[in-house]
Amino acid sequence: QVQLVETGGGLVQPGDSLKLACTASTRGPTVYDMGWFRRAPGKEREFLAAISRSRGNTYYGDSVKGRFIISRDSTKNTVYLQMNSLKPEDTAVYLCAGNRIPSPPTLLRSGELDWWGQGTQVTVSG
């Protein structure tokens, strides 16, 4: 079993930047593709970004394209989400997820992934 732990959330003001990290436990299966999602109160879970392990291909949701950047350090089993120009509507619980096999973009966007973290709260207010 793989455990994913998100860190880096917090309270920021509109226009600020924040960088989230998600670290996978070093024991267990290899985590291939990884992604970030968020869940805002009263809304469905939303795909934000994903990155493949093999080639580092990246995919983004329309609402964050151009503002958020996903990256990965496979040596540390960690994926990052750099969030810029944050808006109040970005307030949500941010979730990290991963798959045990390389996955096509459509599967990553759908959220049908094997492992999920508990999430970290991001609040944009001020």
Side-chain angles (χ1 to χ4, degrees):
Q1 186 68 18
V2 172
Q3 289 186 330
L4 303 177
V5 179
E6 303 97 334
T7 57
L11 173 63
V12 297
Q13 295 185 340
D16 284 352
S17 296
L18 199 62
K19 188 171 185 177
L20 305 181
C22 172
T23 300
S25 56
T26 55
R27 297 182 178 180
T30 298
V31 181
Y32 279 90
D33 304 335
M34 298 183 72
W36 285 96
F37 297 76
R38 68 186 178 190
R39 186 186 300 119
K43 295 186 178 180
E44 295 184 355
R45 186 180 63 197
E46 178 185 9
F47 168 76
L48 301 177
I51 186 167
S52 68
R53 180 183 180 90
S54 57
R55 297 185 177 183
N57 294 335
T58 57
Y59 313 96
Y60 293 94
D62 290 340
S63 65
V64 302
K65 194 177 297 182
R67 293 193 300 130
F68 291 9
I69 301 171
I70 190 170
S71 61
R72 182 170 191 162
D73 185 343
S74 295
T75 64
K76 298 181 179 179
N77 289 323
T78 300
V79 63
Y80 304 94
L81 186 68
Q82 175 67 45
M83 305 186 295
N84 301 317
S85 302
L86 284 164
K87 308 173 183 179
E89 50 263 43
D90 292 319
T91 295
V93 174
Y94 283 69
L95 301 155
C96 170
N99 250 5
R100 68 180 69 236
I101 59 173
S103 305
T106 52
L107 187 66
L108 297 174
R109 292 175 181 273
S110 73
E112 294 184 20
L113 303 175
D114 295 310
W115 304 294
W116 290 83
Q118 294 297 312
T120 184
Q121 176 71 43
V122 173
T123 302
V124 185
S125 178

